[in-house]
Amino acid sequence: MDRTVVLITGCSSGIGLHLALRLASDPSQSFKVYATMRDLKAQGPLWEAAQARRCPSGSLEILQLDVRDSDSVAAARARVTEGRVDVLVCNAGRGLVGPLEAHVTGAMSSVLDVNVAGTVRTLQAFLPDMKQRRSGRVLVTGSMGGLMGEWPRAGPGARKRQSLRQGSSTCSQLCRRSMWRKQKRAKPRETSGVLLQPSRVSAPGHASTTSSRLQGLPFNAVYCASKFALEGLCESLAVLLPSFGVHVSLIECGPVHTAFQEKLEGGLGGALDSADTKTRDHFFCYQRHCERVFREAAQDPEEVTEVFLKALRAPQPALRYFSTEHFLPLVRLRFDDPSGCSYVAAMRRAVFEDKSAERPDGAAAKPGAADLGGCELSAPAAAQQ
């Protein structure tokens, strides 16, 4: 029986490395994994881990692939000896954290080039063959938008959160049915956009059928912009590609214990000296918030890779899979209050009203209620819950 050929970008560390190992060492021995990375000098840890796991001979091959370079992507594709890729995992990514005005242009351009344009280049290289063969899976590493605080699991909002997990059809399926039925029953004509309501949000590792967007986080503006772009990219493809037997899924991850923070473009915070004192104080509060969230909610990469496997093996894959349920209540906030006021207020309370936050130099950073501002519209009752 032919093995499933999987190509993964960004395998030098983190989720990509662990996913390559998980598939190559799978007891079924049904996967041939091409683990790719920008710099082959970083392949040592992957080979060492593969030997430790006793991956079967021929189950893993490492290729050079730089998503910023179309020629590099094409060269990696040409080295796939099977002549096809059954599952493409777009995982390569870069982070950028700090005040927007502290980022140099080169750092911002690099993040957008890798996270957005790099994903597009990779898809452009592999999608045509999948469409021609009328078979293929695409998994894209998404994000919950950054690091968020723990939210209550019980209380007045619990019933609403449970109701989000009930339902069946996905928004992409509804959109496809609406579009293709119109195509069959009526002559082509201009139509307005279709407004779709979310049907449910799943428990960790299960399909999410909500059309949620990522949550914007303070000091992650450019990174979140890149992840928002991937949401739109994948939603668009999810409507079209099933006609060709190809399915796209986003794996929405929260904080994960990897070296991602150590590889931030431009370092943590960027050039903080260019930011004003109040912005720097807010950034120090945010740092403390992130440290707390990582202690309380960060996942191990192995746990996240199992979510990738669920999406890969699903007979009818969904558009979104969430690796954790910690942050799903924030998704609901965005629909309870389309104005965005509830989400903004909730995030400001979670990040900046931590009275224990201190700056690295030991000085207290305690922005008061007057400093935090507010929205002209009142938050609905659901937000207060």
Side-chain angles (χ1 to χ4, degrees), residues 100-175:
L100 184 65
E101 62 270 28
H103 299 321
V104 299
T105 302
M108 293 186 289
S109 298
S110 179
V111 169
L112 295 173
D113 191 21
V114 172
N115 295 4
V116 183
T119 301
V120 172
R121 292 186 193 100
T122 307
L123 290 169
Q124 287 176 324
F126 291 94
L127 273 183
D129 179 65
M130 288 184 174
K131 292 171 70 176
Q132 185 176 6
R133 291 187 294 109
R134 307 190 73 81
S135 176
R137 296 281 178 98
V138 177
L139 306 182
V140 179
T141 303
S143 169
M144 293 299 288
L147 310 177
M148 305 176 200
E150 177 75 21
W151 285 79
R153 300 192 185 193
R159 183 173 302 174
K160 286 188 176 182
R161 292 196 293 274
Q162 179 62 29
S163 68
L164 279 174
R165 300 189 182 102
Q166 300 172 350
S168 56
S169 61
T170 66
C171 286
S172 60
Q173 290 171 336
L174 291 172
C175 188

Side-chain angles (χ1 to χ4, degrees), residues 245-265:
V246 181
H247 298 275
V248 177
S249 295
L250 279 154
I251 312 301
E252 309 285 19
C253 304
V256 183
H257 289 297
T258 69
F260 188 77
Q261 294 290 323
E262 301 169 13
K263 298 182 178 181
L264 292 172
E265 192 73 28

Side-chain angles (χ1 to χ4, degrees), residues 270-350:
L272 275 177
D273 291 343
S274 62
D276 59 86
T277 301
K278 186 173 182 179
T279 298
R280 290 198 298 271
D281 286 345
H282 276 48
F283 181 70
F284 298 139
C285 285
Y286 173 74
Q287 282 184 283
R288 291 291 295 269
H289 172 75
C290 289
E291 292 170 0
R292 179 174 62 83
V293 170
F294 258 96
R295 288 194 305 268
E296 298 175 359
Q299 294 177 281
D300 290 329
E302 291 83 0
E303 183 180 355
V304 177
T305 60
E306 294 303 317
V307 183
F308 279 82
L309 260 70
K310 287 181 181 291
L312 189 156
R313 290 171 168 164
Q316 295 294 327
L319 173 58
R320 289 183 180 85
Y321 293 82
F322 287 87
S323 69
T324 175
E325 67 178 1
H326 284 298
F327 314 111
L328 294 184
L330 284 168
V331 175
R332 179 59 188 262
L333 274 182
R334 302 179 70 84
F335 294 110
D336 282 344
D337 179 13
S339 73
C341 292
S342 298
Y343 173 76
V344 170
M347 281 305 304
R348 289 177 69 82
R349 285 195 299 271

Side-chain angles (χ1 to χ4, degrees), residues 140-280:
V140 179
T141 303
S143 169
M144 293 299 288
L147 310 177
M148 305 176 200
E150 177 75 21
W151 285 79
R153 300 192 185 193
R159 183 173 302 174
K160 286 188 176 182
R161 292 196 293 274
Q162 179 62 29
S163 68
L164 279 174
R165 300 189 182 102
Q166 300 172 350
S168 56
S169 61
T170 66
C171 286
S172 60
Q173 290 171 336
L174 291 172
C175 188
R176 281 178 52 77
R177 286 199 292 268
S178 175
M179 292 177 63
W180 302 155
R181 283 174 181 171
K182 288 180 180 180
Q183 185 179 32
K184 291 180 180 178
R185 298 179 182 178
K187 295 180 180 180
R189 61 185 176 85
E190 290 189 15
T191 59
S192 59
V194 180
L195 178 61
L196 299 174
Q197 297 297 328
S199 56
R200 71 181 174 99
V201 174
S202 68
H206 294 274
S208 165
T209 58
T210 178
S211 59
S212 66
R213 296 296 186 273
L214 298 180
Q215 283 71 43
L217 285 178
F219 303 111
N220 282 262
V222 176
Y223 175 73
C224 284
S226 72
K227 292 300 184 179
F228 270 67
L230 290 184
E231 293 286 308
L233 173 68
C234 292
E235 281 195 359
S236 178
L237 292 174
V239 177
L240 171 67
L241 292 180
S243 296
F244 299 90
V246 181
H247 298 275
V248 177
S249 295
L250 279 154
I251 312 301
E252 309 285 19
C253 304
V256 183
H257 289 297
T258 69
F260 188 77
Q261 294 290 323
E262 301 169 13
K263 298 182 178 181
L264 292 172
E265 192 73 28
L268 181 63
L272 275 177
D273 291 343
S274 62
D276 59 86
T277 301
K278 186 173 182 179
T279 298
R280 290 198 298 271

